[in-house]
Amino acid sequence: RRRPANQAILSQPPGTLQSQIKVTDQGEVISDRYLEPRLAHRHLEQLVNAVIQAGFPDVLRAADAQFIAAMHAIAATARQSYRALVYDNPQFLTYFRTATPINEISRLRIGSRPASRRKSDRIEDLRAIPWVFSWMQSRHTLPGWYGLGSALRDFVHSDGDNEAAQERLVLLRRMYAEWPFFRTLLGNAQMILVKADLGIAQLYADLVPDRQLGATIYAEIGAEHQRSVQMIQQVAQIDDLLDDMPVLKRSISARNPYIDPLSYIQVELLRRLRADVPEDEQDALELAMLMSINGIAAGLKNTG
């Protein structure tokens, strides 16, 4: 079965690779991919296989123009939905800063560079890795899927015509079956949606000092999560997310019972760190916080 790296390569636009590719592996995944010789061999074999296949005539064939047009419409709606939450809602920054451990991640200096490019609170100045990392830690996993559900729904039901809506749904199903790019996109979205846990995310939302603000934004995020799940299920014609990727589904299901307690512990650590704690307890709490961050990241296998 093809692995994500293989699928990602084959989903590139025709003619992109030209029989060569340069791959950068982040430090935290090197041991996962290369520590065990057989896994390293399999991973490299998948990469080489995909690069070779990318030069085959059937792979070099351009995507259907109808697919491209549909994707432009979907992307525009998804972008609008995402920006409406993240950039157009003036209260969202408060939610982000208090419902995720971004401030603690920045203070602990886990990364090799500062979390922000400038000394500001603007989301635009935040580096991509701490942005994604914070949402993964708080189990929202928001950057990987937010806006997709609204975009797919609005594309299918754009004019209220049931017959036309069915035709557009059939088109999306064709795109999923025939277009590697779209199939990989929805496959990645399924993976990150399954790694979200909205029950645990609500505990992080409860950390927002303004409880009404926390509840309101959390409700928006939860509604979009539900839309995204439902629309992907319709397009991929599956009963549950990752039904067509059973190995990945079992892997995530097996890891979650070990990750969830760490999330509960992290929520309590955040409460204590953000309260007035004696100075002699601060170092111990920060060490425990760092350990919870490392554990959750290792379990979810997605950082930034």
Coordinates of all heavy atoms in Angstrom, one line a residue, residues 2 6 15 36 42 68 113 144 153 155-156 205 209 213 223-224 239 257 303:
R2 N 0.5 2.3 -0.7 CA 1.2 3.5 -0.8 C 1.2 4.2 0.5 O 0.2 4.3 1.2 CB 0.7 4.4 -1.9 CG 0.9 3.9 -3.3 CD 0.2 4.8 -4.3 NE 0.5 4.4 -5.7 CZ -0.2 4.8 -6.7 NH1 -1.1 5.7 -6.6 NH2 0.1 4.4 -7.9
N6 N 4.8 8.7 -0.6 CA 4.6 8.3 -2.0 C 3.4 9.1 -2.6 O 3.5 9.6 -3.7 CB 4.3 6.8 -2.0 CG 4.1 6.2 -3.4 OD1 3.0 6.3 -3.9 ND2 5.1 5.5 -3.9
G15 N 4.9 17.0 -14.5 CA 6.1 17.6 -14.9 C 6.9 18.4 -13.9 O 8.0 18.9 -14.2
E36 N 15.0 2.1 12.3 CA 14.9 0.7 12.0 C 15.2 0.5 10.6 O 14.6 1.0 9.7 CB 13.5 0.3 12.3 CG 13.3 -1.1 12.9 CD 13.7 -2.2 11.9 OE1 13.3 -2.1 10.7 OE2 14.3 -3.2 12.3
R42 N 12.1 0.7 3.4 CA 10.8 0.8 2.8 C 10.4 2.2 2.5 O 9.9 2.5 1.4 CB 9.8 0.2 3.9 CG 8.3 0.3 3.4 CD 8.0 -0.5 2.2 NE 6.6 -0.5 1.9 CZ 6.1 -0.9 0.8 NH1 6.9 -1.2 -0.3 NH2 4.8 -0.9 0.6
I68 N -10.0 21.2 -12.1 CA -9.3 22.4 -11.7 C -10.2 23.5 -11.3 O -10.0 24.3 -10.3 CB -8.3 22.8 -12.8 CG1 -7.3 21.7 -13.2 CG2 -7.6 24.1 -12.5 CD1 -6.3 21.5 -12.1
R113 N 14.4 28.6 16.9 CA 14.2 30.1 16.7 C 13.0 30.6 17.5 O 12.2 29.8 17.9 CB 13.9 30.3 15.2 CG 15.1 30.0 14.3 CD 14.7 30.2 12.8 NE 13.7 29.2 12.4 CZ 13.2 29.2 11.1 NH1 13.7 30.1 10.2 NH2 12.3 28.3 10.8
G144 N -5.1 22.1 10.0 CA -5.1 21.1 9.0 C -6.4 20.8 8.3 O -6.5 20.1 7.3
R153 N -19.2 21.8 1.3 CA -20.7 22.0 1.4 C -21.2 23.1 0.5 O -22.2 22.9 -0.2 CB -21.1 22.3 2.9 CG -22.6 22.4 3.1 CD -22.9 23.2 4.4 NE -22.3 24.6 4.3 CZ -22.3 25.4 5.3 NH1 -22.8 25.1 6.5 NH2 -21.8 26.6 5.1
F155 N -19.8 24.3 -2.1 CA -19.7 23.9 -3.6 C -20.8 23.0 -4.0 O -21.4 23.2 -5.1 CB -18.3 23.2 -3.8 CG -18.1 22.7 -5.2 CD1 -17.7 23.6 -6.2 CD2 -18.3 21.4 -5.5 CE1 -17.6 23.2 -7.5 CE2 -18.2 20.9 -6.8 CZ -17.8 21.8 -7.8
V156 N -21.2 22.0 -3.2 CA -22.3 21.1 -3.5 C -23.6 21.8 -3.5 O -24.4 21.6 -4.5 CB -22.3 19.9 -2.6 CG1 -23.5 19.0 -2.8 CG2 -21.0 19.1 -2.7
A205 N -10.4 25.1 25.8 CA -11.2 26.3 25.6 C -11.7 26.8 27.0 O -11.9 28.0 27.1 CB -12.4 25.9 24.8
P209 N -10.1 33.0 29.9 CA -10.6 33.8 31.1 C -12.1 34.2 30.8 O -12.9 34.1 31.7 CB -9.7 35.0 31.2 CG -8.4 34.5 30.7 CD -8.8 33.6 29.5
L213 N -16.6 34.0 25.6 CA -15.7 34.1 24.4 C -15.2 32.7 24.1 O -15.3 32.2 22.9 CB -14.6 35.0 24.6 CG -13.4 35.0 23.6 CD1 -14.0 35.4 22.2 CD2 -12.3 35.9 24.0
A223 N -18.4 23.2 15.1 CA -19.4 23.0 14.0 C -18.7 22.8 12.7 O -19.1 22.0 11.9 CB -20.2 24.3 13.9
E224 N -17.5 23.5 12.5 CA -16.8 23.3 11.3 C -16.1 21.9 11.2 O -16.1 21.3 10.2 CB -15.7 24.4 11.1 CG -14.9 24.3 9.8 CD -15.7 24.5 8.6 OE1 -16.9 24.9 8.7 OE2 -15.2 24.2 7.5
D239 N -18.1 5.3 5.7 CA -18.9 5.5 6.9 C -18.2 6.2 8.0 O -18.8 7.0 8.8 CB -19.4 4.1 7.5 CG -20.3 3.4 6.5 OD1 -21.1 4.1 5.8 OD2 -20.2 2.1 6.4
P257 N -5.3 6.4 23.5 CA -5.5 6.1 25.0 C -4.2 6.5 25.8 O -4.3 6.8 27.0 CB -5.7 4.6 25.0 CG -6.3 4.3 23.7 CD -5.6 5.1 22.7
T303 N 3.9 17.7 14.6 CA 4.3 18.8 15.4 C 3.9 20.1 14.6 O 3.0 20.8 14.9 CB 5.8 18.7 15.7 OG1 6.5 18.6 14.5 CG2 6.1 17.6 16.6

